Amino acid sequence: MATRDALLGVLNETLEPKQFEDYGPNGLQVEGKREVQRLVSGVTASAALIDAAIAARADAVLVHHGLFWRGMDGTLTGWLRERVRKLLAHDINLLAYHLPLDAHPTLGNNAQLGLHMGWGAGAPLAAGSLVFEAQVSPCDAAALAAQLHERLGRAPMWIDGGRPIARLAWCTGGAQGYFQKAIDAGADAFVTGEISEPQAHLARECGVSFFAAGHHATERYGAPALGAYVAAQLGLEHQFIEIDNPA
């Protein structure tokens, strides 16, 4: 068993959230009980995850996608009110880390996706970059698409850049806007979660393959890795709960 403050301390020391200008608050988003024994990790603080955490008798929930984001109007109504109500009713702490969890060199979403895919943890394109890269065994775009489908359980949307892939860049989630950084760095292909209209044109015109492998599918490995790590540090029980999301 550990205190909430001890858990928060290990998370903040590990992820260093103050280094990031993020889209929402990192750290403790909803305060629950002071003593923590059971930690549940998940990707998103959805009602389904909160219900599962209640059933698991969790004292704290650790997620990548929390409840509060830039641009929200500050009211607790509708679905947001209901999620917060459930957490408060069961005295459960909610801790969320967004960009800090993407960026961590070993426990983060990018590093863990690379390890899961067999590319290695990779390294940032540059200091502070959220885009990771690695040298991979040369393959064509169709083979990489098949590998993503097999490992992630979801067929990616992909645009063939037309050249062999040996230098691979990736950034999990909704990082399609970073495609140009991968192109500029000399990558042969870029893997992320989503695609927008411009990326198809860029892939064809620049000869760099683009793979949209799913926002949730690419970001479901950091939270359990981080949860297991902090649980081991503090002697907590830990359980990752998968809530399927086709997006």
Side-chain angles (χ1 to χ4, degrees), residues 167-189:
R167 186 179 181 191
L168 178 64
W170 69 93
C171 187
T172 64
Q176 60 267 47
Y178 290 135
F179 187 30
Q180 186 65 55
K181 292 185 181 297
I183 294 170
D184 292 343
D188 301 314

Side-chain angles (χ1 to χ4, degrees), residues 51 78 82 99 116 170 179 184 206 230 237-238:
D51 287 341
E82 185 61 12
L99 296 184
H116 180 76
W170 69 93
F179 187 30
D184 292 343
C206 298
V230 297
E237 299 173 23
H238 169 248

Side-chain angles (χ1 to χ4, degrees), residues 211-232:
F211 299 83
H215 195 131
H216 177 85
T218 58
E219 290 199 325
R220 63 181 181 224
Y221 303 106
L226 178 62
Y229 172 80
V230 297

Side-chain angles (χ1 to χ4, degrees), residues 98-116:
H98 186 231
L99 296 184
L101 183 54
D102 289 324
H104 194 275
T106 58
L107 301 172
N109 284 317
N110 284 319
Q112 288 293 313
L113 176 65
L115 292 169
H116 180 76

Side-chain angles (χ1 to χ4, degrees), residues 24-217:
N26 288 298
L28 184 65
Q29 291 196 347
V30 177
E31 184 176 292
K33 62 190 67 173
R34 181 178 180 276
E35 300 293 332
V36 175
Q37 177 59 42
R38 296 184 182 89
L39 174 66
V40 160
S41 62
V43 177
T44 298
S46 63
L49 178 65
I50 294 169
D51 287 341
I54 292 168
R57 298 185 298 140
D59 304 309
V61 176
L62 173 64
V63 296
H64 179 50
H65 300 133
L67 296 178
F68 306 105
W69 301 96
R70 184 190 306 162
M72 296 176 73
D73 64 10
T75 60
L76 280 176
T77 58
W79 60 267
L80 180 57
R81 181 260 186 192
E82 185 61 12
R83 293 184 194 181
V84 173
R85 182 195 67 78
K86 291 179 179 183
L87 291 166
L88 293 176
H90 293 272
D91 210 13
I92 297 174
N93 297 281
L94 176 69
L95 304 108
Y97 292 87
H98 186 231
L99 296 184
L101 183 54
D102 289 324
H104 194 275
T106 58
L107 301 172
N109 284 317
N110 284 319
Q112 288 293 313
L113 176 65
L115 292 169
H116 180 76
M117 290 298 306
W119 308 328
L125 286 180
S129 176
L130 292 173
V131 180
F132 279 42
E133 66 170 340
Q135 293 294 129
V136 298
S137 298
C139 65
D140 61 18
L144 182 54
Q147 182 193 29
L148 287 162
H149 191 177
E150 178 186 2
R151 292 293 185 95
L152 302 183
R154 181 188 190 279
M157 179 180 291
W158 56 287
I159 309 295
D160 189 349
R163 69 180 188 233
I165 297 167
R167 186 179 181 191
L168 178 64
W170 69 93
C171 187
T172 64
Q176 60 267 47
Y178 290 135
F179 187 30
Q180 186 65 55
K181 292 185 181 297
I183 294 170
D184 292 343
D188 301 314
F190 181 65
V191 176
T192 187
E194 303 178 11
I195 187 170
S196 298
E197 193 272 348
Q199 283 80 53
H201 299 293
L202 287 175
R204 292 168 181 150
E205 293 168 22
C206 298
V208 179
S209 297
F210 185 98
F211 299 83
H215 195 131
H216 177 85

